[in-house]
């Protein structure tokens, strides 16, 4: 391996949104720094099955249906 081309890999602390802290190795920051997360698996709707709903109001699908909704593939 070439010397001095790899980032410094060291121990940091990661603080979850609920306050729990764990240690891991990372290239982020410097030795002993604490990375505070804004979103983590304990609060993100993708992992918690949250009640966020995706509504297509004027999105691409609605515009497509408005523009081409009357067309059909069969001959008249």
């Amino acid at each position: 391996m070439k010397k001095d081309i790899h980032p410094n890999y060291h121990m940091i602390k990661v603080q979850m949104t609920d306050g729990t802290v764990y240690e891991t190795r990372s290239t982020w920051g410097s030795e002993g720094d604490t990375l505070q997360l804004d979103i983590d698996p304990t609060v993100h709707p993708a992992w918690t099955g949250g009640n966020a709903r995706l509504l297509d109001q004027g999105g691409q699908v609605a515009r497509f249906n408005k523009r081409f909704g009357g067309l059909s593939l069969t001959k008249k």
Side-chain angles (χ1 to χ4, degrees), residues 11-14 21-25:
M11 295 298 289
I12 66 164
K13 294 178 183 173
V14 177
V21 177
Y22 68 93
E23 286 191 34
T24 188
R25 293 181 56 134

Side-chain angles (χ1 to χ4, degrees), residues 48-67:
T48 60
N51 55 6
R53 303 178 98 197
L54 296 175
L55 299 175
D56 187 51
Q57 298 174 345
Q60 290 182 355
V61 174
R63 282 186 286 157
F64 179 86
N65 288 335
K66 182 179 177 184
R67 192 170 178 189

Side-chain angles (χ1 to χ4, degrees), residues 14-53:
V14 177
Q15 183 175 1
M16 307 285 265
T17 56
D18 63 357
T20 57
V21 177
Y22 68 93
E23 286 191 34
T24 188
R25 293 181 56 134
S26 175
T27 59
W28 180 87
S30 58
E31 180 80 28
D33 283 352
T34 301
L35 174 64
Q36 294 182 344
L37 300 179
D38 294 330
I39 297 176
D40 61 33
T42 61
V43 296
H44 195 282
W47 291 291
T48 60
N51 55 6
R53 303 178 98 197

Side-chain angles (χ1 to χ4, degrees), residues 1-7:
M1 266 192 324
K2 293 183 180 180
K3 294 185 183 256
D4 299 326
I5 64 167
H6 298 286

